[in-house]
């Protein structure tokens, strides 16, 4: 039996949740956007509005299309707003306790057929699924940042995920115009299992004084042909998210090669989380980013 998705709920209106809401609405889905406060939801909506306005000014979108997309996104300050959703995608902070609490509170508000997706970067989909009343209808749908730009969605089945859930997810990813890759449910899946140890090593390289922020980023941009240096990329992802992913790899794979760099821990403790707090390995408060080391 195929499952048709018309309305998508999104939990978390940050970098990822906002992006997911935007691309889903732009592909014709009805979207309900949730966060911990109306203020956060409105900030997410304002970012989406700004992104779409930029597309209009570049001629990629008409003013009418922008209005239609925005009209498809409603604010969902409580989970009751998800009672007619066919799929809810969780994109709150990368913290297993918070995600567990969200799923426990969410399930009673959903219709029995509703699917649940998690945008987690690294946490076990099987373990998260077990906190719900519907592990068969639970799946990892891992979008990349920034969602409107990046082509890939990594899809992760938990041990109980049904074929119908997987097929409905595949159809959604295709309708959104993205490419899908399937990863098994192991810490960090594919993308972050490979990407985050590289970023962590770049931070060790900085910590041990092998290079400055600028020399490390220049080395990898021009020497390995990466479009962005690893420290610039870390700021883009969010240093709190980078640290959480390294902790999941370290604990989940029990191998010291995944030990988070102490300098990454220090930046997170300082609240210097990258672009989203306007300071990380670079300071973004001025006109041009300035390295902080
Ligand atoms: N940043 C990336 O590059 C990236 C890429 C792929 C996946 N992810 C994953 O996406 C998720 C979100 O990351 P982000 O970069 O958008 O983080 P973010 O910090 O930009 O946004 C997180 C949002 O979650 C909200 N939130 C916290 N607790 C909540 C709750 N109980 N209910 C509802 N909302 C809550 C916060 O208020 C915030 O607005 C994480 O699981 C992360 O690992 C991130």
């Amino acid at each position: 039996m195929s499952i048709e998705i018309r309305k998508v709920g999104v939990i978390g209106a940050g970098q990822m949740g906002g992006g997911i809401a935007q691309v889903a609405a732009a592909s014709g889905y009805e979207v309900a956007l949730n966060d911990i406060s109306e203020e956060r939801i409105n900030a997410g909506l304002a970012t989406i509005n700004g992104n779409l306005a930029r597309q209009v000014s570049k001629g990629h979108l008409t003013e009418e299309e922008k209005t239609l997309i925005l009209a498809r996104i409603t604010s969902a300050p409580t989970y009751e707003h998800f009672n007619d959703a066919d799929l809810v995608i969780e994109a709150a902070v990368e913290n297993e306790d918070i995600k567990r609490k969200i799923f426990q509170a969410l399930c009673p508000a959903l219709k029995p057929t509703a699917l649940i997706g998690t945008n987690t970067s690294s946490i076990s989909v099987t373990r998260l699924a077990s906190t719900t009343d519907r592990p068969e209808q639970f799946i990892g749908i891992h979008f990349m940042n920034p969602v409107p730009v990046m082509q890939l969605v990594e899809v992760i089945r938990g041990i109980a995920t049904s074929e119908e859930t997987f097929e409905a997810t595949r159809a959604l990813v295709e309708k959104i115009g993205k490419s899908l890759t399937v990863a098994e449910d192991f810490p960090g899946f594919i993308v972050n299992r490979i990407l985050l140890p590289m970023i962590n090593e770049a931070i060790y390289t900085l910590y041990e004084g092998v290079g400055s922020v600028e020399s490390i980023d220049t080395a990898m941009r021009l020497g390995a042909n990466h479009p962005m240096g690893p420290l610039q990329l870390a700021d883009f992802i969010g240093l709190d998210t980078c640290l959480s992913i390294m902790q999941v790899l370290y604990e989940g794979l029990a191998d010291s090669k995944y030990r988070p760099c102490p300098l990454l821990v220090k930046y997170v403790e300082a609240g210097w989380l990258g672009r989203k707090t306007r300071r990380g390995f670079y300071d973004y408060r001025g006109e041009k980013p300035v390295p902080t080391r």
Side-chain angles (χ1 to χ4, degrees), residues 58-262:
K58 285 184 187 161
H60 299 326
L61 204 69
T62 66
E63 196 60 55
E64 294 71 41
E65 284 166 333
K66 172 177 173 256
T67 308
L68 277 175
I69 295 171
L70 286 174
R72 285 192 203 110
I73 311 177
T74 52
S75 170
T78 66
Y79 296 147
E80 274 64 52
H81 292 82
F82 293 151
N83 63 8
D84 57 346
D86 305 296
L87 164 71
V88 175
I89 302 178
E90 172 278 318
V93 280
E94 188 73 351
N95 175 310
E96 188 163 342
D97 273 348
I98 292 179
K99 291 192 191 293
R100 280 171 173 271
K101 287 192 183 114
I102 288 174
F103 295 132
Q104 276 155 11
L106 170 70
C107 286
L110 297 180
K111 60 183 184 185
T113 52
L115 309 181
I116 305 176
T118 175
N119 187 50
T120 180
S121 300
S122 59
I123 301 168
S124 162
V125 171
T126 299
R127 214 162 55 228
L128 291 175
S130 74
T131 67
T132 72
D133 58 2
R134 59 193 80 200
E136 303 76 15
Q137 289 156 241
F138 191 97
I139 192 161
I141 313 180
H142 182 210
F143 287 85
M144 307 293 134
N145 182 21
V147 181
V149 176
M150 299 295 282
Q151 190 53 44
L152 186 75
V153 178
E154 201 176 18
V155 174
I156 308 104
R157 292 183 182 93
I159 201 165
T161 308
S162 72
E163 202 47 35
E164 288 80 11
T165 302
F166 177 77
E167 284 307 328
T169 305
R170 182 208 294 277
L172 173 116
V173 171
E174 282 169 3
K175 186 165 167 187
I176 283 177
K178 306 275 187 208
S179 301
L180 173 145
T181 194
V182 175
E184 290 300 319
D185 187 21
F186 289 101
F189 319 126
I190 295 174
V191 174
N192 288 326
R193 171 80 175 261
I194 299 171
L195 184 62
L196 261 294
M198 193 270 292
I199 288 176
N200 195 48
E201 198 61 28
I203 303 170
Y204 268 112
T205 310
L206 177 67
Y207 176 63
E208 291 172 8
V210 182
S212 64
V213 168
E214 241 166 357
S215 57
I216 292 166
D217 276 352
T218 303
M220 293 308 285
R221 267 193 303 109
L222 304 184
N225 231 4
H226 289 189
M228 240 188 222
L231 301 171
Q232 193 190 356
L233 179 57
D235 275 357
F236 203 73
I237 294 171
L239 302 189
D240 53 340
T241 300
C242 289
L243 177 58
S244 300
I245 298 170
M246 286 312 298
Q247 279 161 343
V248 168
L249 290 174
Y250 185 52
E251 284 157 25
L253 297 163
D255 189 330
S256 63
K257 75 177 178 181
Y258 299 112
R259 196 174 63 227
C261 178

